[in-house]
Amino acid sequence: MIMLTLLKKLFGLVIGVALLPLTVTVSLAFYYQISGMSVFESRNQAYFLNGVIAYVVLHLFLFKPNHVYNFGHEFVHVISTWFSFGKAKNLKVSSSGGSVQTSKSNMFVNISPYFVPIYTVILCGAHFLFSRLGDVSPYAAYFVFFIGFTLAMHIIMTVDALKIAQPDLIRTGYLVSLALIYVINMIVTGFVIGLILAGFSFIDFFTQFCIETKELYLLIFRQLFGI
């Protein structure tokens, strides 16, 4: 049993190290896109950035919405359990944390709350639904503002949460979890920014990410095996 546990930890460490190049390539691809755009190129960009700034001010100087974030965190556990054909019950939330009992435990269930900005997803879903029912253009500024606000909340609160030892990540493996969380958050952020901000192309960002990843892994392979 001890040997099996050690082998699992070693395997997790190897996979985590193998995933680290992805954190480099996704950062480079994101930088290439963001550096090529004008910050205030449209009104939507201003609304989005105002939403981000509003959350940062709230977080730093007023209060941290721990209860709201923790509810979203546990709710994503519930949804990911349903997607894994499991059951969830006894969801409990407080300002200091939360818990939910699930019948399934896998990597997707364990770490999905860290890379799914649930409130941003709910906003996008609501916008899609109401846009099919009528004209929502008069409310576009509010929508874009709260997209920036909720996305900033997800990223900043997730960083705060990762400072503390998380049982979800311990079960999956810290290095693997952190690498996946960072990469997927960058991809989700790129997708949202691509919808809101002019000059940022998610397709170009993702294509660049794939190209940079291929080139970096080939470089590492050649260095290791002298090919």
Side-chain angles (χ1 to χ4, degrees), residues 133-168:
L133 299 175
D135 182 18
V136 296
S137 57
Y139 310 100
Y142 299 103
F143 167 71
V144 175
F145 175 88
F146 281 108
I147 286 290
F149 186 93
T150 55
L151 192 59
M153 180 179 73
H154 168 73
I155 293 172
I156 294 172
M157 293 294 288
T158 296
V159 171
D160 267 3
L162 293 176
K163 294 176 183 177
I164 306 169
Q166 299 288 338
D168 303 332

Side-chain angles (χ1 to χ4, degrees), residues 47-59 63 65 68 119-120 123 142-157:
Y47 294 136
F48 178 82
L49 291 173
N50 285 339
V52 172
I53 293 168
Y55 179 76
V56 171
V57 170
L58 175 74
H59 187 94
F63 71 95
V68 174
Y119 295 110
T120 307
L123 271 175
Y142 299 103
F143 167 71
V144 175
F145 175 88
F146 281 108
I147 286 290
F149 186 93
T150 55
L151 192 59
M153 180 179 73
H154 168 73
I155 293 172
I156 294 172
M157 293 294 288

Side-chain angles (χ1 to χ4, degrees), residues 40 44 61 69 72 101 121 123 127 130 151 165 175 179-180 199 213:
F40 292 102
N44 277 352
F61 302 108
Y69 175 79
Q101 294 179 13
V121 172
L123 271 175
H127 183 271
F130 287 117
L151 192 59
L175 192 57
L180 287 175
T213 300

Side-chain angles (χ1 to χ4, degrees), residues 54-225:
Y55 179 76
V56 171
V57 170
L58 175 74
H59 187 94
L60 292 179
F61 302 108
L62 298 175
F63 71 95
K64 299 178 183 180
N66 292 313
H67 199 286
V68 174
Y69 175 79
N70 291 334
F71 177 80
H73 183 101
E74 300 304 329
F75 185 58
V76 175
H77 274 312
V78 172
I79 295 173
S80 58
T81 301
W82 291 343
F83 273 110
S84 300
F85 303 102
K87 296 180 180 179
K89 62 180 181 179
N90 296 334
L91 189 153
K92 298 177 182 178
V93 177
S94 70
S95 59
S96 59
S99 64
V100 63
Q101 294 179 13
T102 62
S103 62
K104 291 275 187 177
S105 180
N106 52 46
M107 181 181 291
F108 175 61
V109 171
N110 291 339
I111 70 174
S112 56
Y114 299 101
F115 58 75
V116 176
I118 184 62
Y119 295 110
T120 307
V121 172
I122 290 172
L123 271 175
C124 290
H127 183 271
F128 176 81
L129 177 63
F130 287 117
S131 66
R132 295 300 180 273
L133 299 175
D135 182 18
V136 296
S137 57
Y139 310 100
Y142 299 103
F143 167 71
V144 175
F145 175 88
F146 281 108
I147 286 290
F149 186 93
T150 55
L151 192 59
M153 180 179 73
H154 168 73
I155 293 172
I156 294 172
M157 293 294 288
T158 296
V159 171
D160 267 3
L162 293 176
K163 294 176 183 177
I164 306 169
Q166 299 288 338
D168 303 332
L169 307 189
I170 292 172
R171 285 194 292 269
T172 304
Y174 245 95
L175 192 57
V176 174
S177 299
L178 291 176
L180 287 175
I181 288 167
Y182 179 79
V183 171
I184 297 175
N185 265 297
M186 291 296 288
I187 292 173
V188 171
T189 301
F191 179 75
V192 173
I193 291 177
L195 292 176
I196 303 300
L197 303 186
F200 189 105
S201 168
F202 174 75
I203 294 176
D204 289 348
F205 158 65
F206 194 77
T207 301
Q208 187 69 40
F209 168 53
C210 293
I211 293 172
E212 294 288 342
T213 300
K214 176 184 176 182
E215 291 180 352
L216 183 56
Y217 275 112
L218 283 175
L219 177 62
I220 293 171
F221 184 81
R222 287 169 185 153
Q223 291 296 320
L224 288 175
F225 299 101

